[in-house]
Amino acid sequence: SFLILAVILTTLSLSSCMAMQSEPTESAKANFTWNTTDATEASLDLLFPNRHQQAKISDPDDKILRFFVIGDWGAFDHYRELSSATDALNDLASKHEYDHIVTVGDNIYYNGVEDIDNRWKAWLCLTVFKKSALRHILIYPTLGNHDCYVNMYNEVKLSQYDYQWRMLENYYVKVTPLKDDPKKFFVNFMLNSCMTICPKGNVYQDDNYECTRFGLLPGGNEVQAHFAWIEANFARYSNDPDVAWMAVSLHHQPFIHPGEKLYLIPLMRKYGVEIIFTGHEHWNEYSNQEFDYKMRLLDREYGDVVLNCTSDEIFTTETRESNFNYGEKFHQFTVGTAGAIWVDKTCPVLDMDVNLVYRSIMQTGSMSVEVTTDLFSASFVNGD
């Protein structure tokens, strides 16, 4: 695996004015026992000959919190590509200690876990996380459109059947203490974008149609309850002096989907949440936007062609590293190629309500994130 793009933010801390009790978090290195039959163990030995090797031993001098982000990954019929993507994660986790894995949706194609009592697709896809250095790292999922088509709540139930899968609600907050100062926290709001693309007053009919496929009424009670929860938790953690960083993880890109442009981005702007992990589009992309930007495309995802290119990889910067101070921009990281169920063409580039910096479909991939109290670094890695 190798770095193909890095985005680095630096900060002293989030401004805050009120203290609060932080929620306890589970250790991603807890001791779990995985009970399987001898036949299953033998099969996994054939798939992953090195799976009994140890993950990176905790180093007390290592003061960097690390976690992975992976999206659009659960394609059982593209198992080879998915396994290649997680090979890269396994390699990194054998060299450095990683705390957890975040998914940004489309966890199980094509219709999520349709029947919790017949979950073989989920079992097969999750075997790629049983590799040597990954098997004790907990997975914190968010839901994508494919997870919501039949019964989104089955992926919550899946937590009862796989020791890594930690999804107790269909949206929740992941609070992780930082290693260089355990009294400070990285707060990740794990949103359900099957609901956030469905607010009241959304004029984008394609998403409204999707809402009906999810069994949701646009602007209905479940949707309103989720947005109320989002604002309450944004307010809560933005006023906590122990919160060093805040991010959202969700499937549909907030700077692309009109309903999220109307309702989610203003809440993020109000409470200072500037980091976005997302998926849905089947490419790896980094884009950003100014805080005072006025949305133009409120009735559609994309506009007209602005760059008539043919490449599989696009850069609008001179190097593969971009550096920012905290508070300069919104940062949107799209990680949508891990399963390679299909890839979306990078070109031509269509007009968006966000500044495109990097986009690639050259490899199945994922993201490695490193965080301290004053530094955030996100790097795309490929599956080669």
Side-chain angles (χ1 to χ4, degrees):
S1 62
F2 62 89
L3 178 150
I4 58 175
L5 181 80
V7 177
I8 301 168
L9 311 181
T10 54
T11 182
L12 295 179
S13 68
L14 288 173
S15 61
S16 54
C17 58
M18 188 174 82
M20 56 157 284
Q21 294 268 336
S22 296
E23 293 182 350
T25 59
E26 301 172 76
S27 169
K29 299 298 179 182
N31 246 340
F32 292 97
T33 301
W34 187 36
N35 296 317
T36 61
T37 63
D38 290 341
T40 302
E41 289 284 342
S43 299
L44 288 170
D45 284 340
L46 289 173
L47 286 170
F48 313 119
N50 67 340
R51 72 187 187 92
H52 295 293
Q53 296 175 359
Q54 295 298 310
K56 175 67 176 178
I57 298 174
S58 180
D59 180 357
D61 296 325
D62 182 4
K63 301 302 182 182
I64 300 174
L65 167 69
R66 297 180 181 87
F67 61 90
F68 293 118
V69 182
I70 188 169
D72 300 79
W73 58 275
F76 68 95
D77 51 348
H78 285 246
Y79 189 88
R80 179 177 179 179
E81 290 84 357
L82 173 57
S83 186
S84 175
T86 51
D87 279 344
L89 306 190
N90 192 61
D91 180 59
L92 286 171
S94 69
K95 299 171 182 175
H96 305 284
E97 184 179 6
Y98 279 79
D99 186 82
H100 59 276
I101 300 168
V102 168
T103 84
V104 286
D106 280 3
N107 304 310
I108 310 297
Y109 285 101
Y110 292 86
N111 296 307
V113 180
E114 298 178 49
D115 181 355
I116 195 62
D117 295 320
N118 185 20
R119 55 188 181 275
W120 67 269
K121 293 179 185 176
W123 174 85
L124 181 62
C125 291
L126 285 168
T127 60
V128 299
F129 296 104
K130 305 302 186 278
K131 298 175 182 179
S132 59
L134 297 177
R135 61 200 308 260
H136 293 306
I137 302 177
L138 301 185
I139 301 169
Y140 291 88
T142 63
L143 297 170
N145 52 296
H146 284 276
D147 304 306
C148 296
Y149 285 145
V150 175
N151 186 344
M152 70 177 77
Y153 298 101
N154 278 341
E155 292 197 20
V156 176
K157 294 178 182 178
L158 188 60
S159 299
Q160 303 171 28
Y161 300 96
D162 185 275
Y163 69 83
Q164 288 177 286
W165 195 259
R166 295 302 172 103
M167 190 178 199
L168 302 183
E169 301 288 347
N170 67 92
Y171 50 86
Y172 55 99
V173 183
K174 174 74 175 80
V175 181
T176 309
L178 298 177
K179 293 178 68 175
D180 62 324
D181 184 353
K183 294 181 180 180
K184 300 292 184 181
F185 299 91
F186 186 94
V187 176
N188 199 344
F189 302 96
M190 313 293 280
L191 306 186
N192 182 347
S193 71
C194 297
M195 296 183 184
T196 59
I197 66 167
C198 298
K200 183 179 180 180
N202 184 18
V203 296
Y204 183 55
Q205 295 307 314
D206 286 1
D207 278 352
N208 287 335
Y209 170 70
E210 281 283 87
C211 301
T212 63
R213 294 187 68 188
F214 305 150
L216 296 170
L217 179 66
N221 290 338
E222 287 182 278
V223 174
Q224 292 184 49
H226 190 16
F227 275 105
W229 178 93
I230 291 170
E231 179 155 25
N233 280 277
F234 279 5
R236 174 187 179 185
Y237 287 100
S238 66
N239 283 320
D240 182 354
D242 294 327
V243 173
W245 300 91
M246 295 191 297
V248 297
S249 293
L250 75 171
H251 185 63
H252 298 84
Q253 306 98 314
F255 278 101
I256 300 300
H257 289 264
E260 293 176 331
K261 295 178 191 179
L262 283 169
Y263 287 91
L264 182 58
I265 291 295
L267 291 176
M268 295 180 63
R269 182 180 290 119
K270 179 179 179 180
Y271 294 104
V273 183
E274 69 173 57
I275 299 169
I276 305 166
F277 300 115
T278 186
H280 193 57
E281 300 289 4
H282 291 188
W283 52 48
N284 292 329
E285 180 183 292
Y286 167 65
S287 47
N288 59 42
Q289 191 52 270
E290 291 74 23
F291 288 113
D292 59 353
Y293 174 80
K294 185 176 181 180
M295 298 294 179
R296 298 172 294 113
L297 307 171
L298 290 175
D299 61 346
R300 49 186 170 157
E301 295 178 347
Y302 296 96
D304 298 329
V305 173
V306 293
L307 179 61
N308 223 337
C309 54
T310 58
S311 174
D312 287 338
E313 185 175 65
I314 301 169
F315 275 100
T316 61
T317 55
E318 293 183 359
T319 69
R320 290 181 179 264
E321 181 173 298
S322 298
N323 292 273
F324 301 92
N325 291 321
Y326 184 85
E328 287 186 10
K329 295 177 182 289
F330 284 112
H331 303 275
Q332 182 171 273
F333 302 96
T334 302
V335 189
T337 63
I341 190 168
W342 65 79
V343 292
D344 297 321
K345 293 182 178 180
T346 58
C347 295
V349 176
L350 302 180
D351 191 18
M352 302 183 291
D353 275 319
V354 68
N355 302 314
L356 177 64
V357 177
Y358 168 80
R359 182 185 293 170
S360 175
I361 58 170
M362 292 180 65
Q363 296 286 346
T364 59
S366 55
M367 172 163 279
S368 173
V369 179
E370 298 185 348
V371 188
T372 64
T373 53
D374 58 2
L375 188 69
F376 169 96
S377 177
S379 304
F380 289 103
V381 294
N382 77 1
D384 187 354

